């Protein structure tokens, strides 16, 4: 039989609970304090849904306490209310079932509307709650590639690219085209919008807008191997003048992002430094999506077209060159590197010189851990 806590222990628990909760005061609830309109709407959805559910939870918890107190053994005044033959109350049944049903209907309607309104593929129709977007305004396009274990950002309109750093102008609609080099990741900037998966051989999209200057961190929200912990990037929302200055800073770099540089960059590495590229191959992103950034590889779009036309005949059965996609990291690691066990995590070309702790893995070993 359990014994009640002594007054001293009860007092200790009351005081210690406040002390243990004190560290939480320093937490940054970034999801609850967003800086982008999409994230604001998602926050409001969380708050409204929670409030609707609390309409049931709070009365139920209060009634549990009330009934336990009112019908306690020491309360002799309620003994006359005892009714052993009671089994039904129409009023009580209506109350029990109608309230949850109404809340479920409200939650269903809210889910239906928000699912369509916050569809990541849906172009934005507003900058914020007070400002609509001119339909003629073209969004800024940012091409995102999830690498092992770093992020590559290509700005096709500006002709630049960066590694592990992304900047956006405020109050400008942005369209992210997202893919991955080898394994699935999840692109997530909490203060900007929700997470969207990055998958090899596929292109997903996310529309968002930053409403105020802020500096934050983006990361992968889907485990993808040994370097997942450090797969983070710097996020900056800048006013127009500051964004133009940032673009000029990137263009001042002497590095250029072509296919060979990409293949070297895509090799697994951890804690990769920020890198700037003043020029980027305009067709690189499409090649990554189609799994053919390596010279000689057959693109998925080309193969799908051949299949659509009925195939390339029996003679194509022996044409296997350029069709090796499934063995680990086939499109970024040469067979000679794999056989010789060479390290495949060099610093990225164009990387800023800064003391950084790099840990490397061979391609076979690294992918054996997350395949």
């Amino acid at each position: 039989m359990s014994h009640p806590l002594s007054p001293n222990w009860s007092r200790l628990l009351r005081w210690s609970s406040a002390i243990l909760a004190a560290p939480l005061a320093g937490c940054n609830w970034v999801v609850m304090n967003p800086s982008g309109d999409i994230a604001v709407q998602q926050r409001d959805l969380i708050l409204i849904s929670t409030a609707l559910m609390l309409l049931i939870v709070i009365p139920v918890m209060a009634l549990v306490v009330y009934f336990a107190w009112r019908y306690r053994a020491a309360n002799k005044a309620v003994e006359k209310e005892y009714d052993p033959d009671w089994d039904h109350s129409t009023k009580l049944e209506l109350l029990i079932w109608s309230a949850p049903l109404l809340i479920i209907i409200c939650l269903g309607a809210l889910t239906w509307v928000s699912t369509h309104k916050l569809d990541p593929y849906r172009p934005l129709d507003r900058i914020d709650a007070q400002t609509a977007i001119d339909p003629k305004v073209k969004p800024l396009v940012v091409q995102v590639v999830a690498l092992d274990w770093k992020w590559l950002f290509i700005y096709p309109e500006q002709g630049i690219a960066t590694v592990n750093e992304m900047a956006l102008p405020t109050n400008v609609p942005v369209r992210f085209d997202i893919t991955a080099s080898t394994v699935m990741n999840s692109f997530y900037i909490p203060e900007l919008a929700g997470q969207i998966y990055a998958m090899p051989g596929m292109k997903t999209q996310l529309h968002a807008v930053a409403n105020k200057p802020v500096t934050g961190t983006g990361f992968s929200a889907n485990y993808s191997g040994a370097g997942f912990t450090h797969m983070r990037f710097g996020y900056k929302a800048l006013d127009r003048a500051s964004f133009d200055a940032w673009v000029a800073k990137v263009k001042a770099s002497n590095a250029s992002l072509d296919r060979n540089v990409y293949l070297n960059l895509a090799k697994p590495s951890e804690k990769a430094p920020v890198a700037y590229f003043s020029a980027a191959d305009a067709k690189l992103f499409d090649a990554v999506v189609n799994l053919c950034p390596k010279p000689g590889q057959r693109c998925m779009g080309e193969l799908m077209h051949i299949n659509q036309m009925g195939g390339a005949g029996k003679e194509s059965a022996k044409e296997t060159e350029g069709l090796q996609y499934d063995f680990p990291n086939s499109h970024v690691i040469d067979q000679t590197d794999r056989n010789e066990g060479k390290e495949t995590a060099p610093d990225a070309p164009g990387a800023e010189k800064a003391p950084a702790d790099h840990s490397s893995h061979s391609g076979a070993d690294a992918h054996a851990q997350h395949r």
Side-chain angles (χ1 to χ4, degrees):
M1 181 177 179
S2 61
H3 298 280
L5 293 173
S6 66
N8 291 335
W9 277 105
S10 299
R11 192 179 302 109
L12 178 62
L13 288 176
R14 282 200 305 271
W15 285 101
S16 62
S17 61
I19 295 173
L20 293 174
L24 296 178
C27 294
N28 181 14
W29 287 30
V30 64
V31 175
M32 295 292 107
N33 186 31
S35 60
D37 185 60
I38 295 297
V40 167
Q41 295 181 66
Q42 292 173 338
R43 178 204 62 189
D44 294 345
L45 180 61
I46 294 173
L47 294 176
I48 294 171
S49 300
T50 302
L52 285 172
M53 290 183 284
L54 287 177
L55 290 177
I56 285 293
V57 174
I58 291 178
V60 168
M61 299 305 294
L63 287 173
V64 167
V65 175
Y66 171 75
F67 284 132
W69 174 81
R70 178 172 174 78
Y71 297 102
R72 65 193 185 280
N75 188 6
K76 304 299 182 182
V78 298
E79 290 184 355
K80 60 183 180 181
E81 298 180 12
Y82 177 64
D83 186 1
D85 297 324
W86 178 87
D87 61 359
H88 180 73
S89 171
T90 301
K91 293 181 180 179
L92 186 59
E93 290 290 340
L94 287 174
L95 178 64
I96 290 173
W97 291 105
S98 62
L101 181 61
L102 290 173
I103 291 176
I104 290 173
I105 292 174
C106 292
L107 286 173
L110 184 66
T111 302
W112 173 268
V113 172
S114 61
T115 297
H116 292 82
K117 187 177 181 180
L118 298 177
D119 182 353
Y121 286 83
R122 182 175 180 264
L124 301 184
D125 55 8
R126 73 181 203 182
I127 295 295
D128 53 40
Q130 291 79 33
T131 310
I133 291 180
D134 186 345
K136 298 179 181 179
V137 174
K138 291 182 60 178
L140 171 69
V141 177
V142 180
Q143 297 169 338
V144 182
V145 182
L147 303 173
D148 300 323
W149 288 274
K150 62 191 82 70
W151 291 94
L152 172 65
F153 302 100
I154 303 173
Y155 293 74
E157 297 168 0
Q158 287 73 24
I160 61 173
T162 63
V163 172
N164 281 349
E165 182 176 293
M166 183 185 69
L168 300 176
T170 56
N171 296 323
V172 174
V174 182
R175 190 192 80 206
F176 296 100
D177 293 336
I178 308 167
T179 191
S181 61
T182 56
V183 297
M184 181 185 294
N185 278 280
S186 181
F187 176 70
Y188 187 30
I189 306 175
E191 57 259 67
L192 183 67
Q195 63 166 326
I196 300 296
Y197 283 106
M199 296 171 281
M202 297 182 65
K203 181 178 74 173
T204 53
Q205 282 189 352
L206 171 66
H207 288 80
V209 61
N211 295 121
K212 58 183 179 181
V214 69
T215 299
T217 302
F219 54 89
S220 173
N222 187 78
Y223 181 72
S224 58
F228 165 77
T229 303
H230 303 290
M231 194 172 174
R232 297 172 177 266
F233 62 90
Y235 162 68
K236 300 178 181 179
L238 308 169
D239 58 61
R240 191 71 212 195
S242 298
F243 176 74
D244 292 339
W246 178 83
V247 172
K249 177 183 176 182
V250 176
K251 287 186 175 181
S253 168
N254 294 324
S256 179
L257 181 63
D258 56 21
R259 300 294 180 91
N260 292 328
V261 172
Y262 169 80
L263 293 174
N264 189 54
L265 183 67
K267 295 175 181 179
S269 65
E270 300 180 66
K271 299 181 182 179
V274 172
Y276 294 153
F277 300 93
S278 58
D281 185 342
K283 297 182 180 180
L284 176 59
F285 182 79
D286 289 336
V288 175
V289 173
N290 281 280
L291 302 179
C292 58
K294 192 173 183 179
Q297 279 191 310
R298 302 287 292 275
C299 295
M300 292 292 103
E302 178 187 356
L303 295 176
M304 286 188 287
H305 177 71
I306 292 174
N307 290 337
Q308 183 181 11
M309 300 304 293
K314 294 181 179 180
E315 61 277 6
S316 65
K318 297 181 180 180
E319 296 179 2
T320 59
E321 185 177 358
L323 298 177
Q324 297 178 340
Y325 304 98
D326 296 332
F327 63 81
N329 220 14
S330 63
H331 65 293
V332 297
I333 298 179
D334 291 333
Q335 187 65 43
T336 54
D337 289 344
R338 185 179 297 103
N339 292 339
E340 297 173 7
K342 292 181 180 179
E343 290 187 348
T344 56
D347 289 347
E352 293 183 337
K353 293 183 179 180
D357 178 20
H358 294 276
S359 56
S360 304
H361 301 274
S362 69
D365 290 342
H367 281 269
Q369 298 180 47
H370 66 89
R371 279 250 170 183

